């Protein structure tokens, strides 16, 4: 795959920058009942001793043991990780919709950090950073040679501390030097607007603890402005996921009460679960004392819908798209999603450290596994009229090293296609194209969604499907029921 935009994240989310999981939090690690492998532990102890006595310079015991834990967890899959004090703090802040940083969405391009979009009203936004800017230096440190995670860590810091960025901007002859003071960033995960009479746009950019409450307020505001809503576009493009209750709540807003939304399956009995469109599955007493969906207009359950997705739609956003697709509640439009269908559970090791461990796979109400396959849209529509742009260059779950296999499809590796020439052609085009503003007047996919809702022709993608919807359906004859089914996934 191309090197461009292989990493994609939000500054301030630390180790969860990029494709976030649908996460569950548990207070402590469960004790293992398996006997310990004594010979391997002896070898570990021997290596520990050799490093202490023979390494070129002294190494602290804590560093060695922490790195051993980190390496052990990281070797499992791309989404399991050891969380030190700083990373664990960042994770919790991210799920609450706040973090300390600059407030820019970033990727990597040609070895530099590329600004995908500054967050509105953030320090970066106020300092004048623009989409397409390349960050070449962080204070006195060149960016080339750093990974995206390393660059992100340098841009993070304590509130009210300053960092100086060197910026290369198209059409500027000289580098720009911009100083920014880090601040706490509060991310509004839900946006909405009435696009034209009768039609509205609702965007969820990430699933956080306040997302369901925020979405309910936006929907109520839409109906206050447009009581006779004819069509709604739910925009989940570039939504990397987040907390599971947010995905259940967003799905529940549009589905019948009590129907299965998603199921999970793993080794532990607790990982074999089905989650329903019920208040207890999407509300938290810490966030809301009442059901945020209770006062929504009844019409929201039946209004014609299009859900927009792309390669950047992952995990929690795939849960929503999959549920609405299985129940035929909405038309899914765009490009095949990322394919992160695994559950990460946070298990605390101490008061300020934890591990993020993959504990189960996700399944849609029809029993389809999301892992390494994603959701195939009902209507494939490119990002622009000319093609899928940078979206076509992004990595998917199936491209990640050590990714968890789809347990329903052992032949997934055979479907990978080498598209280097096409990537190079698209990359050349993208250098000349202004980044798409989701919800803006030049948003091609949104325009196609409105056409579909109005019964007008839709310009479909010329590219072939990565997989057919039929190939991605398990037990297709078992359709979701009226809330009495178990979603198939909890019996695997």
């Amino acid at each position: 795959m191309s090197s461009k935009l292989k990493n994609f994240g939000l500054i301030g989310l630390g180790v969860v920058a990029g494709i976030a999981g649908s996460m569950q939090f548990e207070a402590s690690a469960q004790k293992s009942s398996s006997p310990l492998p004594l010979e391997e532990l002896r070898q570990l102890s021997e290596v520990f001793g050799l490093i202490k006595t023979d390494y070129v310079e002294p190494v602290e015991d804590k560093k060695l043991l922490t790195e051993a834990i980190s390496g052990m967890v990281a070797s499992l899959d791309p989404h399991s990780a050891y969380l030190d004090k700083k990373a664990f703090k960042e994770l919790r802040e991210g799920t609450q919709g706040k973090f300390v940083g600059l407030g820019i969405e970033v990727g990597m391009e040609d070895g530099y950090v590329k600004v995908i979009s500054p967050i509105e009203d953030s320090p970066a936004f106020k300092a004048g950073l623009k989409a397409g800017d390349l960050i070449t230096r962080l204070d006195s440190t060149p960016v080339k040679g750093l990974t995206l995670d390393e660059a992100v860590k340098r841009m993070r810091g304590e509130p009210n501390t300053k960092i100086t960025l060197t910026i290369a901007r198209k059409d500027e002859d000289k580098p720009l030097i911009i100083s920014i003071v880090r601040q706490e960033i509060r991310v509004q995960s839900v946006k909405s607007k009435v696009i034209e009479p009768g039609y509205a746009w609702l965007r969820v950019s990430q699933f956080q603890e306040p997302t369901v409450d925020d979405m309910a307020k936006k929907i109520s505001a839409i109906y206050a402005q447009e009581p006779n809503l004819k069509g709604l576009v739910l925009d989940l493009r570039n939504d990397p996921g987040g907390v599971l209750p947010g995905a259940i709540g967003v799905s529940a807003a549009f589905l019948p009460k009590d129907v299965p939304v998603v199921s999970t399956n793993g080794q532990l009995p607790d990982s074999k679960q089905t989650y329903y469109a019920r208040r207890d599955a999407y509300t938290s007493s810490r966030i809301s004392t009442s059901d945020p969906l209770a006062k929504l207009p009844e019409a929201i359950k039946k209004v014609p819908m299009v859900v927009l997705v792309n390669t950047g739609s992952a995990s929690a956003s795939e849960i929503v798209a999959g549920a609405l697709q299985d129940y035929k509640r909405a038309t899914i439009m765009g490009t095949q999603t990322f394919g992160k269908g695994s559950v990460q559970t946070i298990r605390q090791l101490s008061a300020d450290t934890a591990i993020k461990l993959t504990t189960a796979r996700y399944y849609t109400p029809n029993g389809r596994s999301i892992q390494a396959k994603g959701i195939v849209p009902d209507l494939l529509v490119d990002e622009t009229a000319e093609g899928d742009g940078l979206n076509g260059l992004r990595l998917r779950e199936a491209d990640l090293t050590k990714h968890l296999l789809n347990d329903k499809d052992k032949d997934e590796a055979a479907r990978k296609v080498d598209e280097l020439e096409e990537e190079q052609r698209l990359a050349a085009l993208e250098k000349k194209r202004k980044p798409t503003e989701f919800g803006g007047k030049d948003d091609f996919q949104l325009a196609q969604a409105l056409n579909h809702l109005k019964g007008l022709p839709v310009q479909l993608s010329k590219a072939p499907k990565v997989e057919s919807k039929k190939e991605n359906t398990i037990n297709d004859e078992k359709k979701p029921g009226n809330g009495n089914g178990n979603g198939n996934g909890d019996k695997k």
Side-chain angles (χ1 to χ4, degrees), residues 206-222:
Q206 187 176 347
F207 290 86
Q208 304 164 344
E209 290 179 4
T211 293
V212 179
D213 291 77
D214 291 345
M215 178 197 65
K217 293 173 184 176
K218 296 293 186 183
I219 292 175
S220 296
I222 287 172

Side-chain angles (χ1 to χ4, degrees), residues 96-335:
Q96 293 166 5
K98 62 180 183 180
F99 59 87
V100 175
L102 309 183
I104 47 177
E105 193 176 327
V106 296
M108 289 294 281
E109 179 172 303
D110 296 331
Y112 297 112
V113 173
K114 182 175 183 178
V115 178
I116 305 302
S117 177
I119 298 172
E120 190 172 351
D121 295 328
S122 69
F125 181 89
K126 293 175 181 177
L129 262 67
K130 297 181 179 181
D133 284 350
L134 293 179
I135 302 174
T136 60
R137 297 182 78 89
L138 301 169
D139 288 327
S140 59
T141 303
V143 170
K144 272 220 168 179
L146 299 178
T147 66
L148 182 64
D149 283 346
E150 289 169 340
V152 166
K153 287 178 181 178
R154 288 178 180 271
M155 286 185 273
R156 288 185 57 81
E158 296 300 316
N160 301 315
T161 58
K162 185 174 74 172
I163 184 171
T164 300
L165 309 182
T166 303
I167 303 293
R169 180 176 293 169
K170 186 179 179 181
D171 300 329
E172 292 284 349
D173 295 332
K174 297 180 179 179
L176 304 176
I177 309 298
I178 300 177
S179 294
I180 303 177
V181 176
R182 300 177 180 93
Q183 298 291 344
E184 181 175 277
I185 310 298
R186 291 188 175 272
V187 181
Q188 179 64 262
S189 68
V190 185
K191 297 180 181 179
S192 68
K193 64 179 178 181
V194 173
I195 303 171
E196 58 183 76
Y199 298 93
W201 172 75
L202 179 71
R203 172 158 176 76
V204 180
S205 59
Q206 187 176 347
F207 290 86
Q208 304 164 344
E209 290 179 4
T211 293
V212 179
D213 291 77
D214 291 345
M215 178 197 65
K217 293 173 184 176
K218 296 293 186 183
I219 292 175
S220 296
I222 287 172
Y223 273 93
Q225 183 179 347
E226 190 61 54
N228 299 314
L229 195 65
K230 298 177 183 178
L232 177 68
V233 178
L234 175 61
D235 192 346
L236 301 179
R237 290 172 295 177
N238 288 356
D239 183 329
V243 293
L244 177 59
I248 298 171
V250 171
S251 301
F254 308 107
L255 293 174
K257 188 177 180 182
D258 294 338
V259 299
V261 173
V262 65
S263 59
T264 62
N265 188 43
Q267 283 199 82
L268 292 172
D270 286 350
S271 69
K272 304 176 192 298
Q273 298 280 349
T274 298
Y275 298 89
Y276 298 88
R278 297 172 182 164
R279 174 189 166 185
D280 60 355
Y282 57 79
T283 59
S284 166
S285 58
R286 189 163 61 86
I287 301 296
S288 177
T289 56
S290 59
D291 184 352
L293 306 183
K295 295 183 180 180
L296 289 180
E298 282 295 322
I300 198 63
K301 300 283 189 182
K302 296 181 179 179
V303 65
M305 286 182 65
V306 168
V307 178
L308 289 176
V309 296
N310 65 4
T311 311
S313 305
S315 199
S317 53
E318 294 176 290
I319 289 172
V320 175
L324 296 181
Q325 187 179 55
D326 277 6
Y327 288 104
K328 296 179 170 45
R329 174 62 187 88
T331 298
I332 312 301
M333 181 182 292
T335 51

Side-chain angles (χ1 to χ4, degrees), residues 335-451:
T335 51
Q336 187 168 359
T337 60
F338 183 79
K340 188 192 170 300
S342 59
V343 183
Q344 277 65 54
T345 301
I346 309 303
R347 301 201 192 280
Q348 281 189 245
L349 301 177
S350 67
D352 50 16
T353 64
I355 60 171
K356 178 160 64 85
L357 192 65
T358 299
T359 55
R361 290 179 174 89
Y362 280 120
Y363 302 86
T364 71
N366 269 350
R368 294 183 290 157
S369 175
I370 296 170
Q371 177 59 22
K373 297 183 77 169
I375 302 299
V376 178
D378 302 304
L379 297 176
L380 283 172
V381 174
D382 289 334
E383 191 172 277
T384 70
E386 292 77 31
D388 209 27
L390 286 177
N391 185 59
L393 303 181
R394 289 197 181 105
L395 288 180
R396 299 177 64 246
E397 174 79 10
D399 299 312
L400 300 181
T401 303
K402 298 181 182 178
H403 73 271
L404 191 67
L405 295 178
N406 186 300
D407 60 331
K408 298 295 183 181
D409 182 7
K410 302 303 182 184
D411 299 323
E412 62 176 76
R415 292 197 174 99
K416 292 186 180 179
V417 179
D418 185 0
E419 299 174 340
L420 180 59
E421 290 185 4
E422 178 65 6
E423 287 178 7
Q424 292 173 340
R425 184 186 70 82
L426 287 172
L429 286 174
E430 287 310 304
K431 289 183 178 180
K432 304 175 183 178
R433 180 179 290 137
K434 181 181 177 182
T436 300
E437 178 189 350
F438 292 154
K441 60 182 178 61
D442 297 323
D443 188 337
F444 176 75
Q445 289 176 319
L446 177 57
Q448 302 312 302
L450 291 174
N451 284 346

